[in-house]
């Protein structure tokens, strides 16, 4: 059994943070440090096929949830506060509804319990044009990616996944081929009858389309004790676009 890679910060109550699609634990290092300085032992996890965690041909939310349970067992964590963003939010929802006794409180960042059609084609199209036999540094990779992805912030997010596979040879940390083939799985929903009645906070960006007011009833059906709050001046990457308000709202909930 393979155990997910993580960075563990601080001492205190276990708090597991799960990144989004094509992300990694490093995306949460700044906020994770803040939580760790205020009473939490923060576990910044790389999910399978992402970051420094193991690669696998199998990829779905059942497995992603089981990976977290295996991680908790490995680290002797009976229960934890759990937060997930986007894909990580779906993993967190699956975990909480399947193993409610292991989740003290749940925070879901900018994703609803519903099916999302595949919408990452333009990203994989851009990434597939990066020829690492020709590209020798991040600047060249960014120049090539800019032909397909105009938003600089998205390119910077993706390029964090580059690393030196060997001397003078760049590559992706994520499992490009499997994730490209399993795009349909990313949009899948949790089980129709799944319920977690523990304390739950949904955070949505006011400029994001991922959680709409007409999703609120479905959120409450799966998570009857859910609060739904909005982060101002933020899109889907709400924790990066308004980290101050994100931290204040999430920390207040964790300590309530």
């Amino acid at each position: 059994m393979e155990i997910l890679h993580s960075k563990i910060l601080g001492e205190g109550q276990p708090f597991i943070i799960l990144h989004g699609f094509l992300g990694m634990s490093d995306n949460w290092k700044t906020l994770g440090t803040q939580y760790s300085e205020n009473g939490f032992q923060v576990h910044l996890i790389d999910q399978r096929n992402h970051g420094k965690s193991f690669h696998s041909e199998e990829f779905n939310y059942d497995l992603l949830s089981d990976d977290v349970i295996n991680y908790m067992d490995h680290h002797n964590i009976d229960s934890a506060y759990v937060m997930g963003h986007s894909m990580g939010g779906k993993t967190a929802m699956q975990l909480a509804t399947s193993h409610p006794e292991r989740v003290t409180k749940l925070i879901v960042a900018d994703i609803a319990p519903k099916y999302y059609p595949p919408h990452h084609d333009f990203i994989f199209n851009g990434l597939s044009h990066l020829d690492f036999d020709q590209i020798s540094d991040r600047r060249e990779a960014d120049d090539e990616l800019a032909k397909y992805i105009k938003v600089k912030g998205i390119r910077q997010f993706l390029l964090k996944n580059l690393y030196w596979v060997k001397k003078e040879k760049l590559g992706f940390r994520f499992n490009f081929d499997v994730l490209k083939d399993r795009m349909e799985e990313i949009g899948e929903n949790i089980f129709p009858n799944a319920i977690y009645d523990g304390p739950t906070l949904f955070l949505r960006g006011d400029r994001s389309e991922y959680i709409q007011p007409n999703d609120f009833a479905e959120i409450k059906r799966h998570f009857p004790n859910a609060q739904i709050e909005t982060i101002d001046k933020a899109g889907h990457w709400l924790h990066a676009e308004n980290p101050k308000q994100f931290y204040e709202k999430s920390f207040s909930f964790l300590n309530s």
Side-chain angles (χ1 to χ4, degrees), residues 53-70:
S53 280
F54 59 88
H55 286 189
S56 168
E57 293 294 317
E58 298 179 291
F59 191 80
N60 59 58
Y61 286 116
D62 270 346
L63 291 170
L64 295 176
S65 168
D66 288 346
D67 288 343
V68 180
I69 291 295
N70 292 337

Side-chain angles (χ1 to χ4, degrees), residues 162-180:
L162 293 186
Y163 79 113
W164 296 105
V165 179
K166 57 186 179 182
K167 189 177 181 182
E168 298 182 356
K169 175 76 171 179
L170 285 167
F172 297 122
R173 285 209 181 276
F174 52 67
N175 189 340
F176 179 85
D177 292 333
V178 167
L179 294 176
K180 185 171 185 271

Side-chain angles (χ1 to χ4, degrees), residues 38-243:
N38 288 282
F40 292 94
Q41 182 185 69
V42 177
H43 295 253
L44 302 176
I45 285 178
D46 287 333
Q47 298 189 79
R48 71 165 61 196
N49 291 324
H50 291 78
K52 295 180 181 177
S53 280
F54 59 88
H55 286 189
S56 168
E57 293 294 317
E58 298 179 291
F59 191 80
N60 59 58
Y61 286 116
D62 270 346
L63 291 170
L64 295 176
S65 168
D66 288 346
D67 288 343
V68 180
I69 291 295
N70 292 337
Y71 175 90
M72 293 173 73
D73 290 345
H74 179 78
H75 288 277
N76 298 310
I77 300 171
D78 292 330
S79 66
Y81 296 82
V82 178
M83 176 165 69
H85 170 245
S86 198
M87 180 193 82
K90 283 280 184 76
T91 303
M93 286 190 261
Q94 186 68 43
L95 174 69
T97 55
S98 301
H99 304 276
E101 75 286 353
R102 307 298 295 269
V103 178
T104 311
K105 287 185 178 182
L106 173 68
I107 301 176
V108 179
D110 213 57
I111 199 81
K114 67 178 182 181
Y115 172 74
Y116 291 83
H119 53 281
H120 297 97
D121 300 51
F122 77 102
I123 287 177
F124 279 104
N125 181 45
L127 293 172
S128 66
H129 283 87
L130 297 184
D131 181 355
F132 294 121
D133 289 328
Q134 304 294 325
I135 291 169
S136 59
D137 60 35
R138 282 174 167 75
R139 183 189 56 76
E140 290 178 6
D142 187 44
D143 289 345
E144 182 64 23
L145 207 54
K147 298 174 185 177
Y148 308 93
I149 300 172
K150 301 304 180 188
V151 181
K152 185 177 181 181
I154 295 177
R155 297 200 307 273
Q156 289 176 328
F157 168 77
L158 294 169
L159 292 172
K160 283 185 177 181
N161 286 285
L162 293 186
Y163 79 113
W164 296 105
V165 179
K166 57 186 179 182
K167 189 177 181 182
E168 298 182 356
K169 175 76 171 179
L170 285 167
F172 297 122
R173 285 209 181 276
F174 52 67
N175 189 340
F176 179 85
D177 292 333
V178 167
L179 294 176
K180 185 171 185 271
D181 290 343
R182 299 298 175 89
M183 272 196 292
E184 190 80 27
E185 293 287 348
I186 307 304
E188 282 298 332
N189 195 15
I190 59 174
F191 297 128
N193 58 349
I195 291 176
Y196 171 72
D197 60 9
T200 305
L201 174 65
F202 277 75
L203 293 170
R204 60 193 285 263
D206 67 346
R207 298 173 180 170
S208 173
E209 299 179 352
Y210 275 72
I211 299 180
Q212 297 293 321
N214 58 12
D215 296 321
F216 291 1
E218 188 69 1
I219 288 172
K220 289 284 194 177
R221 188 175 74 79
H222 288 286
F223 303 93
N225 286 311
Q227 306 170 36
I228 304 167
E229 297 198 26
T230 301
I231 303 296
D232 300 325
K233 300 177 182 177
H236 186 53
W237 282 276
L238 63 178
H239 56 294
E241 294 171 51
N242 192 342

